[in-house]
Amino acid sequence: MRRLGIVLTSLFVALAVAAPAHAAKPSSPKRFTGYAFDTCVSPSDRTMDAWNVASPYAVVGIYTSGNSRYCDDAKQPYLSPAWVKRQANRGWLFMPIHVGYQAPCFDSKSKKLRMSSVGTTARRQARADADEAVRRAAYFGFAKGNAVYLDIEWYDRTNRRCDAVVLTFIDAFVQRVHQRKYKVGLYSSGSAAIQSVNAARLAQRKGFDFPDQMWFAWTNRRANTDGGPYLSSSLWTRNRVHQYHNNVALTYGGEKVTIDKNVLTVGGGSRAKKERKVCKMSPTLSRYRSVKAGSRGKDVKLLQCLLRRSGYKTTVTGRWNARTTKAVKAYRRELGWKQTGSTSRALWTALLSRGSTPIALKRGEVGEPVHRLQRSLRASGQKVKVTGIYDARTTSAVRAYRKRMGLPAYQTADVRVWAALQAGRR
């Protein structure tokens, strides 16, 4: 047990200081299903790092531009291109928010600037806002193809003249942003601009440039993308963001932030990447049985292949031979285990989880590390499908594994989860 503790400690230290394999470009969600939060003042690096590991959120809304931002540059002690780049390197995705001209009939007590009631002037203001939104997005490192989010606060859409001008403004803003090769997400209350744009699309309004995504505020506290009475079930089904709970003070990793909670499906949702084969075979098995001298089959071949990829000398034949025994003993010795020439579910768990380790995996993420996590969790005894998508079942399996290991009840696969898996703990 002492040796196992040393292995776990060494793994934890190595993984905790590991940097991302390569610099990531700042990005809005492209194909993603998961959770986002937005908050007025972008949090410190310390807070973002704590939330990255402990929270279910993978996307953060940041207030990047607009003449009506309450949290403008003067109130942002941390937000900068360097801050965005650092968070991107740690896996965060972003929703760059533009809060510019508001509806002519917007709350008169507010200091936010209002768009003109004259359509031609409102169009000119919208184009200027669009140029600013794109320019500032580029300043923060977001390349063409990313989305900027236009924030139109609640207004009384029963005021038809006011509503018509807002639609004119949105049309011109979207058109200009599209010309600049960016995408647009429209944020508004469900009962305000969201409902109006939805009605325009249902009516097949000609010549109107519709947003690519609809981000609707409907604080029903239900974490789904059902638009209820505001957003038709047949429209924007692949590109929705629901702000479902506002002004919630949450603490993760000891860091408290007041946020708005969001759930999103954009680009059709998270999609599995192709599984990497080893020795021209899938490393995903229906079960990972114990094998030993005399065993043969696909699982023996996979064992031999994984051992060879890990630097142990063995031949990939599908039949257990003397080299397999020697390699298994050497691997067990590395783990500090008893020198026996056989496998177990613990050995499969450790072997399948070997490889580069992300800072944290969470809901919506895809790719080879997710495949590897799911396989090793399955080998450890958790019920999980190997899909390559960190989905609800994977979240449940991770939480169950964390509980079994005595780890904090997070939804993420962080360095401590990987350290336990790579030590073969079940």
Side-chain angles (χ1 to χ4, degrees):
M1 290 301 294
R2 182 176 179 276
R3 178 61 185 274
L4 178 58
I6 293 172
V7 171
L8 278 171
T9 301
S10 299
L11 278 169
F12 179 79
V13 172
L15 296 175
V17 301
H22 61 276
K25 294 181 179 180
S27 176
S28 61
K30 300 296 195 304
R31 294 179 177 178
F32 188 81
T33 302
Y35 300 104
F37 78 91
D38 61 280
T39 185
C40 189
V41 176
S42 296
S44 68
D45 289 340
R46 174 178 170 175
T47 299
M48 292 298 291
D49 287 349
W51 278 50
N52 194 17
V53 170
S55 83
Y57 299 105
V59 185
V60 56
I62 56 175
Y63 288 84
T64 53
S65 58
N67 53 31
S68 292
R69 277 184 301 162
Y70 175 75
C71 296
D72 58 14
D73 291 349
K75 297 183 179 68
Q76 296 282 358
Y78 308 114
L79 183 61
S80 68
W83 182 92
V84 171
K85 183 178 180 181
R86 183 185 187 278
Q87 309 316 324
N89 285 340
R90 281 153 178 75
W92 285 100
L93 299 172
F94 307 87
M95 300 173 73
I97 304 168
H98 176 88
V99 190
Y101 290 103
Q102 297 300 307
C105 55
F106 185 66
D107 180 7
S108 60
K109 296 179 182 179
S110 171
K111 293 182 180 180
K112 294 181 184 292
L113 298 181
R114 294 163 186 75
M115 63 190 72
S116 172
S117 296
V118 178
T120 54
T121 305
R123 280 192 173 277
R124 186 168 62 251
Q125 292 170 330
R127 289 192 289 268
D129 261 18
D131 287 341
E132 180 190 355
V134 168
R135 183 174 63 254
R136 289 283 288 179
Y139 167 75
F140 283 105
F142 298 96
K144 293 177 180 179
N146 284 291
V148 295
Y149 293 82
L150 172 64
D151 183 324
I152 300 290
E153 296 293 315
W154 185 87
Y155 63 94
D156 183 4
R157 66 180 293 266
T158 62
N159 182 328
R160 296 194 175 184
R161 287 189 61 187
C162 178
D163 190 49
V165 170
V166 171
L167 286 175
T168 296
F169 185 95
I170 293 171
D171 174 36
F173 183 96
V174 175
Q175 183 183 62
R176 186 63 152 236
V177 172
H178 283 171
Q179 289 172 350
R180 300 289 187 260
K181 307 301 181 184
Y182 284 76
K183 294 183 178 180
V184 179
L186 172 65
Y187 169 85
S188 189
S189 296
S191 60
I194 295 296
Q195 197 167 32
S196 292
V197 172
N198 184 72
R201 190 167 175 187
L202 283 172
Q204 298 182 344
R205 180 167 172 170
K206 294 182 179 180
F208 193 89
D209 282 84
F210 290 98
D212 303 284
Q213 301 174 19
M214 295 288 264
W215 183 3
F216 58 99
W218 181 26
T219 55
N220 59 0
R221 302 191 181 187
R222 295 180 180 178
N224 59 41
T225 56
D226 178 8
Y230 309 117
L231 191 58
S232 172
S233 60
S234 63
L235 302 179
W236 287 284
T237 56
R238 297 164 55 86
N239 291 287
R240 293 182 174 209
V241 186
H242 179 193
Q243 187 179 90
Y244 63 92
H245 196 182
N246 288 5
N247 297 316
V248 188
L250 296 178
T251 301
Y252 289 103
E255 296 291 320
K256 185 177 181 179
V257 185
T258 298
I259 68 167
D260 296 335
K261 301 167 73 173
N262 305 271
V263 62
L264 62 161
T265 294
V266 296
S270 300
R271 299 181 189 179
K273 293 186 177 181
K274 193 173 183 180
E275 180 185 58
R276 292 183 187 176
K277 292 187 176 181
V278 294
C279 300
K280 298 182 179 180
M281 64 181 294
S282 170
T284 300
L285 304 179
S286 57
R287 69 187 183 96
Y288 295 94
R289 64 179 180 131
S290 297
V291 290
K292 56 185 177 180
S295 299
R296 63 176 63 188
K298 184 177 180 180
D299 46 6
V300 175
K301 183 178 179 181
L302 177 60
L303 173 69
Q304 293 167 332
C305 181
L306 292 175
L307 286 168
R308 189 174 72 174
R309 285 170 61 92
S310 299
Y312 299 95
K313 293 181 180 179
T314 185
T315 52
V316 182
T317 63
R319 295 183 179 185
W320 191 292
N321 53 32
R323 283 193 172 186
T324 307
T325 299
K326 186 176 180 180
V328 167
K329 285 184 176 180
Y331 183 49
R332 294 179 70 92
R333 182 167 59 249
E334 179 188 328
L335 293 170
W337 296 356
K338 185 178 178 180
Q339 304 296 291
T340 60
S342 63
T343 69
S344 62
R345 290 177 70 174
L347 188 141
W348 278 115
T349 299
L351 192 57
L352 288 163
S353 61
R354 285 177 72 103
S356 61
T357 303
I359 295 172
L361 287 177
K362 58 184 67 177
R363 185 71 178 269
E365 298 200 41
V366 299
E368 187 272 336
V370 180
H371 278 117
R372 188 155 38 90
L373 173 70
Q374 291 168 332
R375 291 188 206 105
S376 53
L377 285 170
R378 176 184 285 188
S380 77
Q382 299 299 322
K383 293 181 179 180
V384 60
K385 288 186 176 181
V386 181
T387 63
I389 303 174
Y390 203 111
D391 50 18
R393 287 188 176 184
T394 306
T395 300
S396 297
V398 167
R399 295 187 74 170
Y401 184 76
R402 295 184 70 101
K403 183 177 181 180
R404 191 173 181 85
M405 295 300 106
L407 298 175
Y410 304 156
Q411 299 182 24
T412 58
D414 64 359
V415 293
R416 287 169 290 190
V417 170
W418 286 104
L421 290 170
Q422 292 177 357
R425 296 186 64 192
R426 297 181 56 245

